[in-house]
Amino acid sequence: MSRIVHKFTRKVPHWQPRVTPVKLEEATEEQLDALQVTPSNTKVSDYVLTLAHDVESLKVRSPLFNAIMYDPGGMSRAERELGAIGASMVNRCIYCAAVHADRHAKLEKDTSVTEELFAKGEKADLNPRNRAIFDFARKLSESPVDATPEDMAGLREAGLSDEEILDLILSAALFGWANRLMHVLGDPVRHEVPA
Amino acid sequence: MSIFDSTTLKAAGIAMGPVAAAAETRAKIMEATQAAENAVLSPRDPGAFPHDLRAALAARLATAGGEPALAAHYLDRAGAMAALADPMQDGVAEGFGTVVAFFDKAANRTRDIAAEDIAALQEAGISDADIVRLCELCAFMAYQLRVVAGLRLMKGEAA
């Protein structure tokens, strides 16, 4: 038995596709290449197998994702995760929010920020820098026209450099993308062990 | 190609100054963003969605998202599908009513999407591969629109 998860959580659920993923044994050469399947790496998630239906997009998406979230310089990794969490909460992508809240907590070695966010949403009690980052990510995610010059000024007042602001824009925008795949193409589920 | 010739930086009006300097530190990301645009707007295998329809849907989102320069870039490529670039058109006359309704909801009311929305596409005869293609186009556009909007705000602030 499995049930759909509707509440934000740091405990990462299972992702169940709403469409039929590509079957690995039926994948084309181009799909196998994009999936990076090798004889020593044959474990591919249902999510990636679903995206393999559009192999041209999948191939360019992974390097872009990794560069935005992990390339050195600019904003800290934890703060990029906060941008991702802001977008994922707006779009109610329970799966993305869980993965990135878990990463944020591990990077910060502290669960308090994500606990506060999941409990109180936009009314969460955050320090001024996290407040400015989360608010900007949230508004940009609601609609590209919702973020204002005042929100941008807030980022500068909180001490963010141009490079950091660019990384925040990129990480929040990237989850505008990721949420529209994860939340749209599948359900976050928890498998229940029968009693 | 210079990153300043990419659709994203051109639509945001970024060519020089502190925002351009910040963008140069992320040149690899700007190049990958253009590669992603090419993959969703003009793929070799377009499935059920030809390039002109993709461009029209992209222009539609850019218009609804308040980015006229980005909308104009895509409208130029929309050809016979240009009517769908208007967010007020429902696409029924062109035979894309179900597609357009889903696209708008996934783009602008993402949180409200449920399993029934995907089932409706399947019932309309749209293949799973085409559903994924449609979501990738919608998702990429949501990303690009927000990067353009964010860069424009940065430029206003830095000017």
Side-chain angles (χ1 to χ4, degrees):
Chain A
M1 283 296 288
S2 62
R3 64 180 172 84
I4 296 174
V5 182
H6 293 287
K7 277 191 175 166
F8 289 122
T9 170
R10 249 190 341 264
K11 194 178 159 208
V12 178
H14 177 74
W15 186 81
Q16 183 172 284
R18 292 169 175 166
V19 297
T20 307
V22 169
K23 291 183 182 64
L24 203 48
E25 58 276 18
E26 293 171 12
T28 63
E29 280 298 315
E30 192 182 14
Q31 285 170 331
L32 290 174
D33 177 50
L35 293 165
Q36 296 181 313
V37 176
T38 62
S40 60
N41 175 28
T42 55
K43 280 186 76 177
V44 185
S45 71
D46 273 350
Y47 178 61
V48 177
L49 285 168
T50 297
L51 299 189
H53 278 301
D54 185 349
V55 65
E56 292 171 66
S57 296
L58 175 61
K59 207 171 162 56
V60 291
R61 181 190 161 281
S62 304
L64 178 57
F65 186 99
N66 290 333
I68 290 175
M69 296 309 285
Y70 308 126
D71 270 5
M75 199 160 81
S76 74
R77 278 190 56 189
E79 288 177 340
R80 295 184 215 182
E81 298 293 352
L82 193 56
I85 295 164
S88 302
M89 289 181 70
V90 164
N91 293 320
R92 286 205 73 81
C93 185
I94 303 292
Y95 187 92
C96 294
V99 168
H100 295 279
D102 181 54
R103 285 205 190 137
H104 182 275
K106 283 177 178 151
L107 286 163
E108 293 282 323
K109 298 184 176 61
D110 177 21
T111 58
S112 64
V113 171
T114 47
E115 260 159 33
E116 180 73 13
L117 280 170
F118 285 171
K120 296 186 196 155
E122 62 186 84
K123 295 193 180 69
D125 185 15
L126 303 173
N127 71 36
R129 187 171 162 111
N130 280 345
R131 171 91 267 157
I133 289 171
F134 183 78
D135 281 351
F136 185 83
R138 180 172 60 79
K139 291 191 186 181
L140 193 64
S141 300
E142 282 284 355
S143 164
V145 296
D146 277 12
T148 64
E150 290 70 35
D151 298 316
M152 183 57 66
L155 292 174
R156 295 196 186 284
E157 279 159 30
L160 275 79
S161 69
D162 278 334
E163 287 75 14
E164 288 175 321
I165 292 171
L166 176 60
D167 283 349
L168 172 60
I169 292 167
L170 289 167
S171 59
L174 180 67
F175 277 79
W177 184 343
N179 295 163
R180 284 172 180 78
L181 299 173
M182 275 282 180
H183 176 69
V184 174
L185 289 167
D187 285 301
V189 297
R190 197 81 73 198
H191 294 308
E192 283 171 352
V193 184
Chain B
M1 189 179 103
S2 154
I3 58 168
F4 299 106
D5 294 324
S6 69
T7 305
T8 305
L9 292 183
K10 278 174 87 170
I14 307 299
M16 58 181 76
V19 183
E24 278 185 312
T25 70
R26 293 297 187 212
K28 190 170 101 186
I29 291 170
M30 296 302 156
E31 286 162 9
T33 298
Q34 185 64 48
E37 178 189 317
N38 300 344
V40 294
L41 267 300
S42 44
R44 276 174 283 112
D45 179 3
F49 311 114
H51 294 179
D52 56 357
L53 174 61
R54 290 167 181 259
L57 292 173
R60 181 181 182 91
L61 286 202
T63 298
E67 291 297 340
L70 189 61
H73 167 81
Y74 290 122
L75 186 59
D76 265 358
R77 292 154 178 77
M81 294 291 168
L84 295 184
D86 176 358
M88 302 306 287
Q89 297 293 318
D90 62 10
V92 172
E94 291 81 3
F96 290 108
T98 307
V99 166
V100 167
F102 172 79
F103 193 78
D104 284 352
K105 187 174 180 182
N108 303 322
R109 289 182 289 131
T110 315
R111 68 172 77 100
D112 296 334
I113 289 276
E116 301 84 76
D117 295 297
I118 297 296
L121 292 174
Q122 290 167 328
E123 279 156 27
I126 297 167
S127 73
D128 283 356
D130 284 330
I131 292 172
V132 175
R133 290 187 180 102
L134 191 61
C135 289
E136 285 279 13
L137 174 62
C138 177
F140 169 78
M141 282 308 301
Y143 161 78
Q144 186 179 46
L145 255 175
R146 284 162 176 80
V147 176
V148 171
L151 287 168
R152 185 193 302 290
L153 282 173
M154 262 187 100
K155 190 177 79 160
E157 178 65 21

